[in-house]
Short mmCIF file of all heavy atoms in Angstrom, two decimals:
data_model
loop_
_atom_site.label_atom_id
_atom_site.label_comp_id
_atom_site.label_asym_id
_atom_site.label_seq_id
_atom_site.Cartn_x
_atom_site.Cartn_y
_atom_site.Cartn_z
N MET A 1 -23.61 -6.48 -19.30
CA MET A 1 -22.93 -5.74 -18.28
C MET A 1 -21.64 -5.17 -18.86
O MET A 1 -20.93 -5.83 -19.62
CB MET A 1 -22.62 -6.66 -17.10
CG MET A 1 -22.10 -5.93 -15.93
SD MET A 1 -22.38 -6.86 -14.43
CE MET A 1 -20.76 -7.32 -14.02
N GLU A 2 -21.33 -3.94 -18.49
CA GLU A 2 -20.15 -3.27 -19.02
C GLU A 2 -18.87 -3.83 -18.40
O GLU A 2 -18.81 -4.14 -17.22
CB GLU A 2 -20.26 -1.77 -18.70
CG GLU A 2 -19.20 -0.95 -19.38
CD GLU A 2 -19.40 0.53 -19.12
OE1 GLU A 2 -20.56 0.97 -18.98
OE2 GLU A 2 -18.40 1.23 -19.02
N GLU A 3 -17.84 -3.94 -19.24
CA GLU A 3 -16.56 -4.46 -18.77
C GLU A 3 -15.90 -3.46 -17.81
O GLU A 3 -15.97 -2.25 -18.01
CB GLU A 3 -15.64 -4.69 -19.96
CG GLU A 3 -14.32 -5.31 -19.60
CD GLU A 3 -13.45 -5.54 -20.81
OE1 GLU A 3 -13.99 -5.78 -21.91
OE2 GLU A 3 -12.22 -5.48 -20.66
N TYR A 4 -15.27 -3.98 -16.76
CA TYR A 4 -14.60 -3.12 -15.78
C TYR A 4 -13.39 -2.45 -16.41
O TYR A 4 -12.57 -3.09 -17.04
CB TYR A 4 -14.16 -3.96 -14.58
CG TYR A 4 -13.29 -3.20 -13.62
CD1 TYR A 4 -13.82 -2.22 -12.80
CD2 TYR A 4 -11.93 -3.45 -13.55
CE1 TYR A 4 -13.02 -1.51 -11.93
CE2 TYR A 4 -11.12 -2.76 -12.68
CZ TYR A 4 -11.67 -1.78 -11.87
OH TYR A 4 -10.88 -1.08 -11.02
N ARG A 5 -13.31 -1.14 -16.24
CA ARG A 5 -12.17 -0.38 -16.74
C ARG A 5 -11.58 0.42 -15.58
O ARG A 5 -12.22 1.35 -15.09
CB ARG A 5 -12.59 0.58 -17.85
CG ARG A 5 -12.97 -0.14 -19.10
CD ARG A 5 -13.08 0.80 -20.28
NE ARG A 5 -13.57 0.03 -21.40
CZ ARG A 5 -14.64 0.33 -22.09
NH1 ARG A 5 -15.33 1.39 -21.80
NH2 ARG A 5 -15.01 -0.44 -23.08
N PRO A 6 -10.37 0.09 -15.14
CA PRO A 6 -9.76 0.83 -14.04
C PRO A 6 -9.53 2.28 -14.43
O PRO A 6 -9.29 2.60 -15.59
CB PRO A 6 -8.43 0.13 -13.80
CG PRO A 6 -8.44 -1.11 -14.62
CD PRO A 6 -9.54 -0.98 -15.62
N VAL A 7 -9.59 3.17 -13.46
CA VAL A 7 -9.37 4.59 -13.70
C VAL A 7 -7.92 4.86 -14.05
O VAL A 7 -7.63 5.64 -14.95
CB VAL A 7 -9.77 5.41 -12.45
CG1 VAL A 7 -9.44 6.88 -12.63
CG2 VAL A 7 -11.25 5.23 -12.15
N PHE A 8 -7.00 4.20 -13.35
CA PHE A 8 -5.58 4.43 -13.56
C PHE A 8 -5.00 3.35 -14.46
O PHE A 8 -5.38 2.19 -14.38
CB PHE A 8 -4.84 4.44 -12.22
CG PHE A 8 -5.32 5.53 -11.32
CD1 PHE A 8 -6.27 5.26 -10.35
CD2 PHE A 8 -4.85 6.82 -11.45
CE1 PHE A 8 -6.74 6.26 -9.52
CE2 PHE A 8 -5.32 7.83 -10.62
CZ PHE A 8 -6.26 7.55 -9.65
N ASP A 9 -4.06 3.75 -15.31
CA ASP A 9 -3.50 2.77 -16.24
C ASP A 9 -2.56 1.81 -15.50
O ASP A 9 -2.15 2.07 -14.37
CB ASP A 9 -2.89 3.48 -17.43
CG ASP A 9 -1.41 3.79 -17.37
OD1 ASP A 9 -0.77 3.60 -16.34
OD2 ASP A 9 -0.91 4.22 -18.42
N PRO A 10 -2.23 0.67 -16.12
CA PRO A 10 -1.44 -0.36 -15.44
C PRO A 10 -0.08 0.13 -14.92
O PRO A 10 0.40 -0.33 -13.89
CB PRO A 10 -1.25 -1.44 -16.50
CG PRO A 10 -2.40 -1.26 -17.43
CD PRO A 10 -2.67 0.21 -17.44
N THR A 11 0.54 1.07 -15.62
CA THR A 11 1.84 1.58 -15.18
C THR A 11 1.71 2.30 -13.85
O THR A 11 2.51 2.10 -12.93
CB THR A 11 2.43 2.53 -16.24
OG1 THR A 11 2.49 1.84 -17.48
CG2 THR A 11 3.81 3.00 -15.85
N ILE A 12 0.69 3.14 -13.72
CA ILE A 12 0.46 3.88 -12.47
C ILE A 12 0.12 2.89 -11.35
O ILE A 12 0.66 3.00 -10.25
CB ILE A 12 -0.70 4.90 -12.64
CG1 ILE A 12 -0.35 5.93 -13.71
CG2 ILE A 12 -1.04 5.55 -11.31
CD1 ILE A 12 0.80 6.83 -13.35
N ARG A 13 -0.74 1.94 -11.63
CA ARG A 13 -1.11 0.96 -10.60
C ARG A 13 0.09 0.13 -10.16
O ARG A 13 0.25 -0.14 -8.97
CB ARG A 13 -2.24 0.06 -11.11
CG ARG A 13 -3.56 0.80 -11.25
CD ARG A 13 -4.76 -0.12 -11.41
NE ARG A 13 -4.57 -1.23 -12.30
CZ ARG A 13 -4.82 -1.23 -13.60
NH1 ARG A 13 -5.29 -0.15 -14.17
NH2 ARG A 13 -4.64 -2.31 -14.32
N THR A 14 0.95 -0.23 -11.10
CA THR A 14 2.15 -0.99 -10.74
C THR A 14 3.08 -0.15 -9.88
O THR A 14 3.61 -0.64 -8.88
CB THR A 14 2.89 -1.46 -12.01
OG1 THR A 14 2.00 -2.29 -12.77
CG2 THR A 14 4.14 -2.23 -11.66
N ALA A 15 3.25 1.12 -10.22
CA ALA A 15 4.10 2.01 -9.43
C ALA A 15 3.55 2.16 -8.02
O ALA A 15 4.30 2.09 -7.03
CB ALA A 15 4.22 3.37 -10.10
N ILE A 16 2.24 2.34 -7.89
CA ILE A 16 1.61 2.46 -6.57
C ILE A 16 1.80 1.16 -5.79
O ILE A 16 2.12 1.18 -4.60
CB ILE A 16 0.11 2.79 -6.70
CG1 ILE A 16 -0.08 4.16 -7.36
CG2 ILE A 16 -0.58 2.74 -5.35
CD1 ILE A 16 0.45 5.32 -6.57
N TYR A 17 1.63 0.05 -6.46
CA TYR A 17 1.81 -1.26 -5.80
C TYR A 17 3.22 -1.41 -5.26
O TYR A 17 3.42 -1.80 -4.11
CB TYR A 17 1.49 -2.39 -6.79
CG TYR A 17 1.68 -3.76 -6.22
CD1 TYR A 17 0.74 -4.30 -5.34
CD2 TYR A 17 2.80 -4.52 -6.51
CE1 TYR A 17 0.91 -5.56 -4.80
CE2 TYR A 17 2.98 -5.77 -5.97
CZ TYR A 17 2.03 -6.29 -5.12
OH TYR A 17 2.21 -7.52 -4.59
N VAL A 18 4.22 -1.08 -6.08
CA VAL A 18 5.61 -1.23 -5.67
C VAL A 18 5.94 -0.27 -4.51
O VAL A 18 6.57 -0.66 -3.53
CB VAL A 18 6.57 -1.01 -6.86
CG1 VAL A 18 8.01 -0.91 -6.42
CG2 VAL A 18 6.39 -2.12 -7.88
N VAL A 19 5.50 0.98 -4.61
CA VAL A 19 5.75 1.96 -3.54
C VAL A 19 5.09 1.50 -2.25
O VAL A 19 5.72 1.54 -1.18
CB VAL A 19 5.26 3.36 -3.95
CG1 VAL A 19 5.23 4.31 -2.77
CG2 VAL A 19 6.14 3.92 -5.06
N CYS A 20 3.85 1.07 -2.31
CA CYS A 20 3.15 0.61 -1.11
C CYS A 20 3.80 -0.65 -0.54
O CYS A 20 3.88 -0.81 0.68
CB CYS A 20 1.67 0.39 -1.40
SG CYS A 20 0.77 1.93 -1.62
N LEU A 21 4.27 -1.53 -1.41
CA LEU A 21 4.95 -2.74 -0.95
C LEU A 21 6.22 -2.37 -0.19
O LEU A 21 6.47 -2.86 0.92
CB LEU A 21 5.29 -3.64 -2.14
CG LEU A 21 6.12 -4.87 -1.81
CD1 LEU A 21 5.33 -5.85 -0.94
CD2 LEU A 21 6.58 -5.54 -3.09
N LEU A 22 7.03 -1.48 -0.77
CA LEU A 22 8.27 -1.07 -0.12
C LEU A 22 8.00 -0.34 1.20
O LEU A 22 8.69 -0.57 2.20
CB LEU A 22 9.09 -0.19 -1.06
CG LEU A 22 9.64 -0.90 -2.30
CD1 LEU A 22 10.32 0.10 -3.23
CD2 LEU A 22 10.58 -2.01 -1.92
N MET A 23 7.00 0.53 1.20
CA MET A 23 6.65 1.24 2.43
C MET A 23 6.15 0.27 3.50
O MET A 23 6.47 0.42 4.67
CB MET A 23 5.60 2.32 2.15
CG MET A 23 6.16 3.50 1.39
SD MET A 23 4.91 4.76 1.04
CE MET A 23 4.53 5.32 2.68
N GLY A 24 5.37 -0.71 3.09
CA GLY A 24 4.86 -1.69 4.04
C GLY A 24 5.98 -2.50 4.67
O GLY A 24 6.00 -2.71 5.89
N VAL A 25 6.93 -2.93 3.86
CA VAL A 25 8.08 -3.69 4.38
C VAL A 25 8.90 -2.80 5.31
O VAL A 25 9.30 -3.23 6.40
CB VAL A 25 8.94 -4.24 3.22
CG1 VAL A 25 10.26 -4.79 3.74
CG2 VAL A 25 8.17 -5.29 2.45
N MET A 26 9.14 -1.57 4.89
CA MET A 26 9.93 -0.64 5.71
C MET A 26 9.24 -0.40 7.07
O MET A 26 9.88 -0.45 8.12
CB MET A 26 10.11 0.68 4.99
CG MET A 26 10.93 1.69 5.77
SD MET A 26 11.01 3.30 4.97
CE MET A 26 9.33 3.85 5.14
N LEU A 27 7.94 -0.17 7.05
CA LEU A 27 7.22 0.10 8.30
C LEU A 27 7.14 -1.14 9.18
O LEU A 27 7.10 -1.02 10.41
CB LEU A 27 5.83 0.64 8.00
CG LEU A 27 5.82 2.08 7.49
CD1 LEU A 27 4.45 2.44 6.93
CD2 LEU A 27 6.23 3.04 8.56
N THR A 28 7.15 -2.32 8.58
CA THR A 28 7.15 -3.55 9.36
C THR A 28 8.44 -3.67 10.18
O THR A 28 8.43 -4.20 11.28
CB THR A 28 7.01 -4.77 8.42
OG1 THR A 28 5.77 -4.67 7.74
CG2 THR A 28 7.07 -6.07 9.18
N VAL A 29 9.52 -3.15 9.64
CA VAL A 29 10.80 -3.18 10.34
C VAL A 29 10.94 -1.99 11.29
O VAL A 29 11.36 -2.12 12.44
CB VAL A 29 11.97 -3.20 9.33
CG1 VAL A 29 13.31 -3.05 10.03
CG2 VAL A 29 11.92 -4.47 8.50
N VAL A 30 10.59 -0.80 10.82
CA VAL A 30 10.83 0.43 11.58
C VAL A 30 9.92 0.55 12.81
O VAL A 30 10.37 1.02 13.85
CB VAL A 30 10.67 1.66 10.66
CG1 VAL A 30 10.72 2.95 11.44
CG2 VAL A 30 11.76 1.65 9.60
N SER A 31 8.68 0.14 12.70
CA SER A 31 7.75 0.30 13.84
C SER A 31 8.23 -0.41 15.10
O SER A 31 8.31 0.22 16.16
CB SER A 31 6.35 -0.18 13.45
OG SER A 31 5.81 0.64 12.45
N PRO A 32 8.56 -1.71 15.05
CA PRO A 32 9.03 -2.36 16.27
C PRO A 32 10.37 -1.79 16.77
O PRO A 32 10.59 -1.72 17.97
CB PRO A 32 9.20 -3.83 15.88
CG PRO A 32 8.52 -3.99 14.58
CD PRO A 32 8.38 -2.66 13.95
N VAL A 33 11.23 -1.36 15.83
CA VAL A 33 12.50 -0.76 16.24
C VAL A 33 12.25 0.54 17.00
O VAL A 33 12.88 0.80 18.03
CB VAL A 33 13.42 -0.51 15.02
CG1 VAL A 33 14.62 0.33 15.38
CG2 VAL A 33 13.85 -1.83 14.42
N ALA A 34 11.30 1.34 16.52
CA ALA A 34 10.97 2.60 17.20
C ALA A 34 10.42 2.33 18.60
O ALA A 34 10.76 3.03 19.56
CB ALA A 34 9.96 3.40 16.38
N ILE A 35 9.59 1.32 18.72
CA ILE A 35 9.03 0.97 20.04
C ILE A 35 10.14 0.49 20.96
O ILE A 35 10.23 0.91 22.12
CB ILE A 35 7.92 -0.08 19.89
CG1 ILE A 35 6.72 0.54 19.16
CG2 ILE A 35 7.50 -0.63 21.25
CD1 ILE A 35 5.69 -0.46 18.69
N ALA A 36 11.01 -0.39 20.45
CA ALA A 36 12.11 -0.92 21.27
C ALA A 36 13.10 0.17 21.66
O ALA A 36 13.72 0.10 22.72
CB ALA A 36 12.82 -2.03 20.52
N ALA A 37 13.26 1.19 20.82
CA ALA A 37 14.19 2.28 21.09
C ALA A 37 13.57 3.35 21.97
O ALA A 37 14.18 4.39 22.19
CB ALA A 37 14.67 2.88 19.78
N HIS A 38 12.36 3.11 22.45
CA HIS A 38 11.65 4.06 23.31
C HIS A 38 11.48 5.42 22.64
O HIS A 38 11.71 6.46 23.26
CB HIS A 38 12.34 4.19 24.67
CG HIS A 38 12.50 2.89 25.37
ND1 HIS A 38 11.44 2.19 25.88
CD2 HIS A 38 13.60 2.13 25.62
CE1 HIS A 38 11.86 1.06 26.42
NE2 HIS A 38 13.18 1.00 26.28
N ALA A 39 11.09 5.37 21.36
CA ALA A 39 10.81 6.60 20.62
C ALA A 39 9.59 7.30 21.25
O ALA A 39 8.80 6.66 21.94
CB ALA A 39 10.53 6.28 19.16
N PRO A 40 9.46 8.60 20.99
CA PRO A 40 8.28 9.30 21.53
C PRO A 40 6.99 8.62 21.07
O PRO A 40 6.92 8.02 19.99
CB PRO A 40 8.39 10.70 20.94
CG PRO A 40 9.83 10.85 20.60
CD PRO A 40 10.33 9.48 20.26
N GLU A 41 5.98 8.73 21.90
CA GLU A 41 4.70 8.06 21.62
C GLU A 41 4.13 8.48 20.27
O GLU A 41 3.61 7.65 19.53
CB GLU A 41 3.70 8.39 22.73
CG GLU A 41 2.39 7.66 22.58
CD GLU A 41 1.44 7.96 23.73
OE1 GLU A 41 1.90 8.40 24.81
OE2 GLU A 41 0.24 7.75 23.53
N TRP A 42 4.24 9.77 19.92
CA TRP A 42 3.66 10.25 18.66
C TRP A 42 4.34 9.58 17.46
O TRP A 42 3.70 9.35 16.44
CB TRP A 42 3.71 11.78 18.56
CG TRP A 42 5.10 12.35 18.43
CD1 TRP A 42 5.92 12.76 19.44
CD2 TRP A 42 5.81 12.57 17.21
NE1 TRP A 42 7.12 13.22 18.92
CE2 TRP A 42 7.07 13.11 17.57
CE3 TRP A 42 5.53 12.35 15.87
CZ2 TRP A 42 8.03 13.45 16.61
CZ3 TRP A 42 6.48 12.68 14.92
CH2 TRP A 42 7.72 13.23 15.29
N VAL A 43 5.62 9.26 17.58
CA VAL A 43 6.32 8.59 16.48
C VAL A 43 5.76 7.18 16.29
O VAL A 43 5.49 6.75 15.17
CB VAL A 43 7.85 8.54 16.74
CG1 VAL A 43 8.55 7.69 15.69
CG2 VAL A 43 8.43 9.94 16.76
N CYS A 44 5.59 6.47 17.39
CA CYS A 44 5.05 5.10 17.33
C CYS A 44 3.63 5.10 16.77
O CYS A 44 3.28 4.24 15.95
CB CYS A 44 5.09 4.46 18.71
SG CYS A 44 6.77 4.27 19.35
N VAL A 45 2.82 6.07 17.20
CA VAL A 45 1.44 6.16 16.70
C VAL A 45 1.44 6.49 15.22
O VAL A 45 0.69 5.89 14.44
CB VAL A 45 0.64 7.20 17.51
CG1 VAL A 45 -0.70 7.48 16.86
CG2 VAL A 45 0.46 6.74 18.94
N LEU A 46 2.29 7.41 14.80
CA LEU A 46 2.36 7.79 13.39
C LEU A 46 2.79 6.61 12.52
O LEU A 46 2.19 6.35 11.47
CB LEU A 46 3.32 8.96 13.20
CG LEU A 46 3.51 9.45 11.77
CD1 LEU A 46 2.21 10.00 11.21
CD2 LEU A 46 4.60 10.50 11.71
N LEU A 47 3.82 5.90 12.95
CA LEU A 47 4.27 4.74 12.18
C LEU A 47 3.20 3.66 12.09
O LEU A 47 2.99 3.06 11.03
CB LEU A 47 5.55 4.17 12.80
CG LEU A 47 6.80 5.03 12.68
CD1 LEU A 47 7.94 4.43 13.50
CD2 LEU A 47 7.21 5.20 11.23
N SER A 48 2.49 3.44 13.19
CA SER A 48 1.41 2.44 13.17
C SER A 48 0.28 2.88 12.26
O SER A 48 -0.29 2.06 11.53
CB SER A 48 0.89 2.23 14.59
OG SER A 48 1.90 1.71 15.41
N ALA A 49 -0.07 4.16 12.29
CA ALA A 49 -1.14 4.67 11.43
C ALA A 49 -0.75 4.54 9.96
O ALA A 49 -1.56 4.15 9.12
CB ALA A 49 -1.44 6.11 11.77
N LEU A 50 0.49 4.86 9.65
CA LEU A 50 0.96 4.72 8.27
C LEU A 50 0.93 3.27 7.82
O LEU A 50 0.54 2.97 6.69
CB LEU A 50 2.38 5.27 8.13
CG LEU A 50 2.51 6.78 8.12
CD1 LEU A 50 3.98 7.19 8.14
CD2 LEU A 50 1.81 7.38 6.91
N ALA A 51 1.34 2.37 8.70
CA ALA A 51 1.32 0.94 8.36
C ALA A 51 -0.10 0.47 8.05
O ALA A 51 -0.31 -0.34 7.16
CB ALA A 51 1.92 0.12 9.49
N GLY A 52 -1.08 1.00 8.75
CA GLY A 52 -2.47 0.64 8.49
C GLY A 52 -3.03 1.32 7.26
O GLY A 52 -3.94 0.81 6.61
N ALA A 53 -2.48 2.48 6.91
CA ALA A 53 -3.00 3.24 5.77
C ALA A 53 -2.47 2.74 4.43
O ALA A 53 -3.12 2.93 3.41
CB ALA A 53 -2.64 4.72 5.93
N ILE A 54 -1.32 2.09 4.44
CA ILE A 54 -0.69 1.66 3.18
C ILE A 54 -1.62 0.77 2.34
O ILE A 54 -1.82 1.04 1.15
CB ILE A 54 0.65 0.95 3.46
CG1 ILE A 54 1.65 1.91 4.09
CG2 ILE A 54 1.23 0.33 2.21
CD1 ILE A 54 2.00 3.11 3.27
N PRO A 55 -2.24 -0.28 2.91
CA PRO A 55 -3.13 -1.10 2.07
C PRO A 55 -4.36 -0.32 1.58
O PRO A 55 -4.84 -0.56 0.47
CB PRO A 55 -3.58 -2.23 3.00
CG PRO A 55 -2.62 -2.22 4.13
CD PRO A 55 -2.07 -0.84 4.24
N THR A 56 -4.82 0.62 2.37
CA THR A 56 -5.98 1.43 1.97
C THR A 56 -5.61 2.33 0.80
O THR A 56 -6.40 2.51 -0.13
CB THR A 56 -6.48 2.27 3.16
OG1 THR A 56 -6.75 1.39 4.25
CG2 THR A 56 -7.72 3.06 2.80
N ILE A 57 -4.42 2.89 0.84
CA ILE A 57 -3.96 3.74 -0.27
C ILE A 57 -3.86 2.90 -1.55
O ILE A 57 -4.33 3.31 -2.61
CB ILE A 57 -2.60 4.38 0.07
CG1 ILE A 57 -2.78 5.41 1.20
CG2 ILE A 57 -1.97 5.03 -1.16
CD1 ILE A 57 -1.48 5.88 1.81
N ALA A 58 -3.26 1.73 -1.44
CA ALA A 58 -3.14 0.85 -2.61
C ALA A 58 -4.52 0.48 -3.16
O ALA A 58 -4.75 0.51 -4.37
CB ALA A 58 -2.35 -0.40 -2.26
N ALA A 59 -5.44 0.14 -2.27
CA ALA A 59 -6.79 -0.23 -2.70
C ALA A 59 -7.50 0.94 -3.36
O ALA A 59 -8.26 0.76 -4.31
CB ALA A 59 -7.60 -0.74 -1.51
N GLY A 60 -7.25 2.15 -2.88
CA GLY A 60 -7.87 3.34 -3.46
C GLY A 60 -7.46 3.56 -4.90
O GLY A 60 -8.20 4.13 -5.69
N PHE A 61 -6.29 3.11 -5.26
CA PHE A 61 -5.83 3.22 -6.64
C PHE A 61 -6.20 2.01 -7.48
O PHE A 61 -5.78 1.87 -8.62
CB PHE A 61 -4.32 3.45 -6.68
CG PHE A 61 -3.92 4.86 -6.39
CD1 PHE A 61 -3.66 5.26 -5.10
CD2 PHE A 61 -3.83 5.79 -7.41
CE1 PHE A 61 -3.30 6.56 -4.82
CE2 PHE A 61 -3.48 7.08 -7.15
CZ PHE A 61 -3.21 7.48 -5.85
N GLY A 62 -6.95 1.10 -6.91
CA GLY A 62 -7.38 -0.09 -7.65
C GLY A 62 -6.32 -1.15 -7.74
O GLY A 62 -6.35 -1.98 -8.64
N VAL A 63 -5.36 -1.11 -6.83
CA VAL A 63 -4.29 -2.10 -6.83
C VAL A 63 -4.69 -3.20 -5.86
O VAL A 63 -4.82 -2.98 -4.68
CB VAL A 63 -2.96 -1.47 -6.38
CG1 VAL A 63 -1.87 -2.52 -6.30
CG2 VAL A 63 -2.55 -0.36 -7.31
N ALA A 64 -4.91 -4.36 -6.41
CA ALA A 64 -5.26 -5.50 -5.56
C ALA A 64 -4.68 -6.75 -6.20
O ALA A 64 -4.85 -6.98 -7.40
CB ALA A 64 -6.77 -5.63 -5.43
N TYR A 65 -3.99 -7.53 -5.41
CA TYR A 65 -3.42 -8.76 -5.95
C TYR A 65 -4.51 -9.81 -6.01
O TYR A 65 -5.16 -10.10 -5.03
CB TYR A 65 -2.27 -9.25 -5.08
CG TYR A 65 -1.76 -10.58 -5.54
CD1 TYR A 65 -1.03 -10.69 -6.71
CD2 TYR A 65 -2.04 -11.74 -4.83
CE1 TYR A 65 -0.57 -11.91 -7.16
CE2 TYR A 65 -1.58 -12.97 -5.26
CZ TYR A 65 -0.86 -13.05 -6.42
OH TYR A 65 -0.41 -14.26 -6.86
N ASN A 66 -4.71 -10.35 -7.18
CA ASN A 66 -5.68 -11.41 -7.37
C ASN A 66 -5.12 -12.35 -8.43
O ASN A 66 -5.11 -12.02 -9.61
CB ASN A 66 -7.03 -10.84 -7.83
CG ASN A 66 -8.07 -11.92 -7.98
OD1 ASN A 66 -7.77 -13.11 -7.95
ND2 ASN A 66 -9.30 -11.52 -8.16
N PRO A 67 -4.64 -13.52 -8.03
CA PRO A 67 -4.02 -14.42 -9.01
C PRO A 67 -4.98 -14.94 -10.07
O PRO A 67 -4.55 -15.41 -11.11
CB PRO A 67 -3.48 -15.57 -8.14
CG PRO A 67 -4.27 -15.51 -6.89
CD PRO A 67 -4.66 -14.08 -6.69
N ASN A 68 -6.28 -14.82 -9.83
CA ASN A 68 -7.26 -15.31 -10.81
C ASN A 68 -7.71 -14.24 -11.78
O ASN A 68 -8.47 -14.52 -12.70
CB ASN A 68 -8.48 -15.87 -10.07
CG ASN A 68 -8.11 -17.07 -9.23
OD1 ASN A 68 -7.30 -17.89 -9.62
ND2 ASN A 68 -8.69 -17.15 -8.04
N ARG A 69 -7.28 -12.99 -11.57
CA ARG A 69 -7.74 -11.90 -12.43
C ARG A 69 -7.13 -12.00 -13.82
O ARG A 69 -5.94 -12.24 -13.98
CB ARG A 69 -7.39 -10.55 -11.79
CG ARG A 69 -7.88 -9.40 -12.63
CD ARG A 69 -7.77 -8.09 -11.91
NE ARG A 69 -6.40 -7.82 -11.50
CZ ARG A 69 -6.04 -6.79 -10.79
NH1 ARG A 69 -6.93 -5.93 -10.38
NH2 ARG A 69 -4.78 -6.62 -10.45
N LYS A 70 -7.93 -11.79 -14.82
CA LYS A 70 -7.47 -11.78 -16.20
C LYS A 70 -7.29 -10.33 -16.63
O LYS A 70 -8.17 -9.50 -16.44
CB LYS A 70 -8.50 -12.44 -17.12
CG LYS A 70 -8.88 -13.85 -16.72
CD LYS A 70 -7.81 -14.83 -17.14
CE LYS A 70 -8.29 -16.24 -16.93
NZ LYS A 70 -7.72 -16.91 -15.83
N VAL A 71 -6.13 -10.02 -17.18
CA VAL A 71 -5.85 -8.64 -17.59
C VAL A 71 -6.15 -8.47 -19.07
O VAL A 71 -5.93 -9.29 -19.87
CB VAL A 71 -4.38 -8.29 -17.30
CG1 VAL A 71 -4.08 -6.88 -17.76
CG2 VAL A 71 -4.08 -8.46 -15.86
#
């Protein structure tokens, strides 16, 4: 069986991981604040959609945390 070779190099995957991590943390804070501040409905929906999309974006680039993975 052929060895798995990611499409993106480790530097790109690390950058995507860090960006998605920061965006996820930011959206975790901003979403409830927007709801509590009675922001328009479209803002709350957009923030929630982005929060759900962040892990999918990271996974699309082959970024997945696995402590057992050998590099």
Side-chain angles (χ1 to χ4, degrees):
M1 188 157 111
E2 189 176 327
E3 184 179 330
Y4 172 73
R5 291 193 185 124
V7 175
F8 299 97
D9 94 353
T11 305
I12 299 294
R13 290 194 317 270
T14 300
I16 296 295
Y17 178 77
V18 170
V19 168
C20 288
L21 175 67
L22 293 174
M23 288 179 66
V25 169
M26 180 185 69
L27 287 168
T28 299
V29 173
V30 172
S31 295
V33 170
I35 293 167
H38 304 291
E41 184 178 340
W42 68 268
V43 172
C44 297
V45 170
L46 179 64
L47 290 172
S48 297
L50 285 173
I54 297 299
T56 305
I57 292 167
F61 281 90
V63 177
Y65 174 71
N66 182 349
N68 297 322
R69 181 170 58 185
K70 305 282 189 255
V71 178

